[in-house]
Amino acid sequence: MLSIRFEQAKSLKAKPEDDKLGFGKYFTDYMFMMNYTAGKGWYDPRIVPYGPLVLDPACVVFHYAQEMFEGLKAYRVEKTGQIQLFRPDKNIERLNRTNKRMCIPQMPPEDVLQAIKELVRVERDWVPHSVGTSLYIRPFIIATDVHLGVHPSKNYLFCIILSPVGSYYAAGINPVKIIVESEYVRAVRGGTGFAKVGGNYAASLIGQEKAEELGYAQVLWLDGIEHKYIDEVGAMNVFFVINQEVVTPTLEKGNILPGVTRASCIDMLRSKGYTVSERKVSIDEVVEAAHTGTPNEAFGSGTAAVISPIGELNVNGEKIIINKNEIGPISQMLYDNLTGIQWGRIPDTFHWIEPVC
Ligand code: COI
């Protein structure tokens, strides 16, 4: 069990209105920090006033991107005002899988959970009240060795920051337009696609910029080898409903992020009797299905985005309209059930909820 010291802020910030939140624009009064040094382990866990980090410009993270992050949310139960997390154990397992890939030391899962819960407890008044809002939790680790040799760092900083959020997309749960990226790739087999690292997102920015210039919300990434199989949408995993089968790209090749919302969608769908296949899904299969009247539905899933129906898919200039650009019944069912559990509106029969306070 961590013994977390607390440093009081001199003044507290004014909290934003719930309807102005957007995503990731505001940050709370405090953050959690803890250091690591090889031979000593993780030490000095502390909750301190939120503020800038002072780092040497030669820190490994700035040059070789040895870092990782996670994303989860704290929700306020509408009736009781209680605050709860959704499957934090899954984020913490993924954190350690990412750390392994990035040569960052493992963290005791119970310490990470304790740190998250204590910070959220301190910042409980920042968990917004309005429907669809939550407190986004962003743990991250950076390599802080001061040297320019390319080696794993011996020193790290673990931080957790918090941001009250509304919808990730301006469109909310309304369908988004997605464009298939035909030139660049986000991840390759054997690379870091399965890990939650900034480099994956940095590699995706050029496609994202192109997409936005053309009026699309995000990019659908294809595999890095054949440029044929669907990977993910960068900030979301992706599902298609084709001929009564719900399909989502398999995680087997290690180039897709194993999303907690993705896994929860699969469990939820199977519990309701849907056939869900985790398999290779080629972009040709989706185009062909579109020409014969399906896919009936497509949607993205993610912590930030929750469930985001895809209304239009642009494949090499061909605009495929899915489900008349409307929210489909499966997307709606998943959205209602996941958010129902997260905000405590429906019973948590899956035991996904971790109460905080
Ligand atoms: C999340 O859904 O938590 C993510 O990390 C996506 C994101 C990069 C905003």
Side-chain angles (χ1 to χ4, degrees):
M1 174 128 173
L2 296 174
S3 167
I4 303 175
R5 73 180 165 86
F6 179 73
E7 194 183 313
Q8 185 77 46
K10 289 204 174 63
S11 60
L12 301 182
K13 301 172 195 167
K15 296 185 179 56
E17 300 293 325
D18 284 4
D19 60 347
K20 302 275 177 335
L21 291 175
F23 184 84
K25 296 192 293 183
Y26 301 98
F27 298 93
T28 66
D29 294 304
Y30 291 96
M31 59 187 181
F32 177 90
M33 295 171 95
M34 181 157 70
N35 297 79
Y36 176 92
T37 296
K40 183 169 175 183
W42 292 100
Y43 63 95
D44 196 12
R46 55 205 186 271
I47 292 176
V48 295
Y50 183 97
L53 304 176
V54 178
L55 292 167
D56 192 291
C59 272
V60 168
V61 64
F62 295 135
H63 305 274
Y64 308 125
Q66 197 193 3
E67 65 86 51
M68 64 79 56
F69 70 94
E70 264 302 328
L72 64 162
K73 285 175 172 172
Y75 307 85
R76 187 180 289 282
V77 175
E78 284 157 10
K79 277 203 189 117
T80 61
Q82 277 167 321
I83 293 163
Q84 56 189 28
L85 306 173
F86 182 74
R87 310 190 81 181
D89 52 320
K90 294 288 158 208
N91 292 89
I92 297 170
E93 280 168 20
R94 190 172 63 189
L95 172 146
N96 273 325
R97 285 199 304 273
T98 301
N99 284 11
K100 183 159 184 248
R101 178 64 180 81
M102 299 304 285
C103 299
I104 297 173
Q106 295 290 290
M107 300 196 73
E110 63 283 5
D111 289 355
V112 181
L113 183 61
Q114 187 194 342
I116 293 171
K117 287 172 87 170
E118 290 224 19
L119 184 63
V120 171
R121 232 174 258 134
V122 167
E123 297 288 51
R124 59 202 296 162
D125 293 346
W126 279 90
V127 183
H129 290 75
S130 305
V131 174
T133 61
S134 55
L135 187 66
Y136 187 76
I137 304 168
R138 173 55 65 88
F140 64 99
I141 304 173
I142 55 172
T144 54
D145 265 13
V146 176
H147 76 76
L148 297 182
V150 184
H151 302 286
S153 183
K154 291 188 167 33
N155 293 281
Y156 296 88
L157 179 65
F158 172 64
C159 288
I160 308 172
I161 54 173
L162 304 176
S163 173
V165 297
S167 300
Y168 185 71
Y169 295 111
I173 201 218
N174 291 323
V176 290
K177 290 165 67 179
I178 303 279
I179 187 164
V180 174
E181 174 54 54
S182 53
E183 186 183 0
Y184 301 105
V185 296
R186 169 192 169 272
V188 290
R189 207 173 295 170
T192 56
F194 70 92
K196 203 139 177 80
V197 298
N200 292 341
Y201 297 82
S204 76
L205 294 177
I206 192 160
Q208 181 66 25
E209 192 174 62
K210 266 171 66 182
E212 282 173 17
E213 273 164 19
L214 295 168
Y216 289 84
Q218 286 221 358
V219 170
L220 182 66
W221 295 99
L222 301 182
D223 76 277
I225 296 175
E226 293 173 79
H227 228 84
K228 178 173 173 188
Y229 296 101
I230 293 171
D231 272 0
E232 60 169 75
V233 186
M236 309 189 287
N237 293 116
V238 67
F239 290 77
F240 296 90
V241 185
I242 302 177
N243 296 328
Q244 314 307 321
E245 184 195 17
V246 184
V247 294
T248 191
T250 168
L251 302 177
E252 268 166 25
K253 304 287 177 227
N255 44 345
I256 297 176
L257 189 82
V260 177
T261 313
R262 174 189 180 279
S264 309
C265 286
I266 294 172
D267 291 351
M268 175 75 68
L269 286 162
R270 288 191 175 141
S271 78
K272 295 200 180 284
Y274 290 91
T275 307
V276 186
S277 307
E278 294 178 74
R279 62 169 172 83
K280 283 163 97 174
V281 189
S282 74
I283 189 65
D284 294 345
E285 178 183 352
V286 172
V287 173
E288 208 178 294
H291 291 163
T292 57
T294 55
N296 320 93
E297 271 185 67
F299 56 91
S301 69
T303 298
V306 197
I307 298 295
S308 187
I310 299 172
E312 180 188 318
L313 195 60
N314 183 320
V315 188
N316 295 324
E318 182 184 353
K319 293 183 180 176
I320 297 174
I321 303 299
I322 302 172
N323 194 41
K324 301 192 202 93
N325 203 7
E326 287 169 8
I327 304 168
I330 295 181
S331 316
Q332 189 72 58
M333 180 282 287
L334 285 169
Y335 183 85
D336 292 345
N337 280 279
L338 289 176
T339 59
I341 293 174
Q342 290 164 340
W343 275 276
R345 284 191 294 266
I346 59 176
D348 171 28
T349 49
F350 294 90
H351 309 291
W352 283 339
I353 290 301
E354 173 78 30
V356 178
C357 53

